[in-house]
Amino acid sequence: MSRDLDSILRSPKAYEWARVAIDAMEQNRVWPTALNFELWMHYVASKDSEVATEIGALLKSGAPFTEQAGEAIAGKHLPSAKLSGEILNAGKNLTEELENVSRALESARESSEAYGQQLASASKSLEHDEDAEAVRAMVDNLTVATARVRDENKSLESQLAETNDELGRLKEHLETARREAMTDGLTLLANRKAFDETLDAAVSGTAAGEPLCLAIVDIDHFKTFNDTWGHQTGDQVIRYVAAVMARIAQPGGRFAARYGGEEFAVIFPGEGRDAALGALESAREEISSRTLKRRSTNEDLGAITISIGIAEQLPGETAPALIERADGALYASKRGGRNRTSIAEPGAASRAA
Ligand code: C2E
């Protein structure tokens, strides 16, 4: 956070600015997540900052302020977001560097081993040749020198083995940090960042003629549910739907993520709309037929329902366009009365399944 904004946040007007930021977010249909709040505080209270300039330009262009856009701005300008990306990159570079060193040392060891063997065989071939006394003495000396180098290499090797162990531990830490940065804390599903990366990779990696489906799932009337039963129970319900999504994503290749508050996304690489529809319809039926309990009091919460939108990638379609069509199909399900699945037709209205 810039020093300017930091002092504004601790000034008598801090709460006023916070309210202005929340209002501006609401007007622009931006979720009040911690990250968005930080960005929008910059936008309203620190007009000259780079964050404010970027948000201003984005709004002026008429493009929506999506979570992706927010994360990109934060990654560029907010020190905390920038730092975590940089740490991960630095770790990756360090790992690569150490692997190079390790390879170089290994090849040096192999060369000296081969050299020693060559000397040994030269010495052997000179054993019965008296004229070669002087040469043999020289080779013997070289053999001794090589043995010394080999011993030194051995100690280097054991140091290298220790470094390698340390490197392995470092890699594990980095892998854990990377996994955590890609995981949603409440549901342990992949988070939005992981989803964006996976969908981009799936879209660009799908060969012509190979299908790719995307489903977006939203819990119906979740806000009312939360208001009635409280956030803790609301969180449990999100975890429940997440568990069902994780299960339908079990067959290899499928990928489930928490897309937003009560929204989930499932990617079906290599699968067409029928496979996606089959999996999601069974999830929908399972969810709507289960009576949930309030864990603290054992009261019946009744059943919850989900609405689903599915889109199959069109030839050459980009990830944002595919998301937009899946989202459109989801809203068709909502408009059609909820607790249903709709499939996006290519470029036309969505049809309910
Ligand atoms: P959790 O509470 O950590 O439960 C994990 C798993 O343990 C559940 O997976 C279920 O297999 C089992 N389990 C836990 N408590 C009970 C119970 O009282 N009765 C039975 N029969 N099994 C139980 P599942 O069902 O896939 O649920 C995943 C998560 O969804 C749960 O995590 C919880 O956060 C939420 N959830 C599921 N059902 C309910 C419910 O009826 N009420 C509430 N409040 N949350 C639920």
Side-chain angles (χ1 to χ4, degrees), residues 17-328:
W17 282 122
R19 276 188 282 274
V20 175
I22 296 277
D23 285 350
M25 287 161 82
E26 195 170 3
Q27 268 169 27
N28 287 283
R29 302 168 67 92
V30 174
W31 293 115
T33 62
L35 182 68
N36 285 344
F37 179 70
E38 187 174 348
L39 289 169
W40 282 71
M41 277 300 284
H42 276 269
Y43 180 59
V44 298
S46 183
K47 284 279 183 206
D48 297 333
S49 64
E50 286 164 321
V51 171
T53 313
E54 280 227 26
I55 296 180
L58 183 81
L59 298 180
K60 207 167 164 204
S61 75
F65 184 96
T66 58
E67 278 187 49
Q68 223 174 344
E71 277 169 11
I73 296 174
K76 263 200 275 173
H77 303 297
L78 294 186
S80 54
K82 226 155 102 177
L83 188 65
S84 66
E86 279 166 8
I87 286 173
L88 286 180
N89 283 342
K92 200 165 154 251
N93 293 346
L94 178 68
T95 304
E96 278 167 13
E97 276 307 315
L98 284 172
E99 274 169 359
N100 286 343
V101 171
S102 160
R103 268 196 298 275
L105 280 170
E106 177 61 16
S107 101
R109 189 192 65 75
E110 280 170 11
S111 318
S112 110
E113 197 74 45
Y115 178 58
Q117 276 165 12
Q118 272 180 0
L119 279 178
S121 81
S123 172
K124 209 172 167 72
S125 69
L126 289 168
E127 243 163 37
H128 304 296
D129 188 346
E130 282 173 16
D131 294 339
E133 191 60 45
V135 179
R136 198 160 49 235
M138 195 173 75
V139 171
D140 283 348
N141 284 343
L142 283 173
T143 307
V144 171
T146 308
R148 205 180 311 126
V149 170
R150 202 180 302 140
D151 286 347
E152 278 168 14
N153 267 354
K154 280 227 167 74
S155 105
L156 208 68
E157 254 175 65
S158 85
Q159 277 178 28
L160 180 62
E162 276 172 31
T163 309
N164 257 340
D165 288 349
E166 188 54 39
L167 180 63
R169 281 191 286 275
L170 201 70
K171 267 169 130 179
E172 263 172 42
H173 284 314
L174 278 172
E175 213 25 65
T176 312
R178 186 176 282 279
R179 242 195 330 270
E180 278 170 6
M182 295 289 185
T183 304
D184 170 60
L186 175 68
T187 61
L188 300 184
L189 278 188
N191 64 13
R192 176 66 181 268
K193 188 175 167 60
F195 165 78
D196 286 338
E197 284 184 12
T198 307
L199 186 64
D200 277 345
V203 162
S204 53
T206 299
E210 207 182 304
L212 167 69
C213 264
L214 170 68
I216 300 188
V217 176
D218 187 86
I219 304 176
D220 294 328
H221 301 299
F222 183 73
K223 191 178 175 314
T224 316
F225 188 94
N226 238 357
D227 292 345
T228 312
W229 299 104
H231 287 287
Q232 265 187 343
T233 305
D235 280 354
Q236 297 260 314
V237 164
I238 287 176
R239 286 181 54 191
Y240 169 55
V241 176
V244 177
M245 293 301 133
R247 202 160 359 98
I248 64 166
Q250 285 284 307
R254 291 182 184 174
F255 180 89
R258 185 170 176 206
Y259 187 65
E262 70 268 26
E263 273 192 316
F264 300 86
V266 187
I267 304 171
F268 298 82
E271 293 185 271
R273 53 166 76 182
D274 290 343
L277 181 65
L280 284 155
E281 275 294 275
S282 74
R284 190 182 63 74
E285 277 160 22
E286 177 184 334
I287 289 171
S288 63
S289 60
R290 173 160 171 171
T291 304
L292 297 171
K293 295 251 181 227
R294 193 178 195 189
R295 290 267 157 95
S296 51
T297 58
N298 218 24
E299 275 167 277
D300 265 1
L301 301 170
I304 55 149
T305 59
I306 55 173
S307 295
I308 301 159
I310 296 177
E312 184 171 340
Q313 190 194 17
L314 301 171
E317 191 172 33
T318 62
L322 181 62
I323 294 175
E324 203 176 317
R325 283 197 308 118
D327 233 5

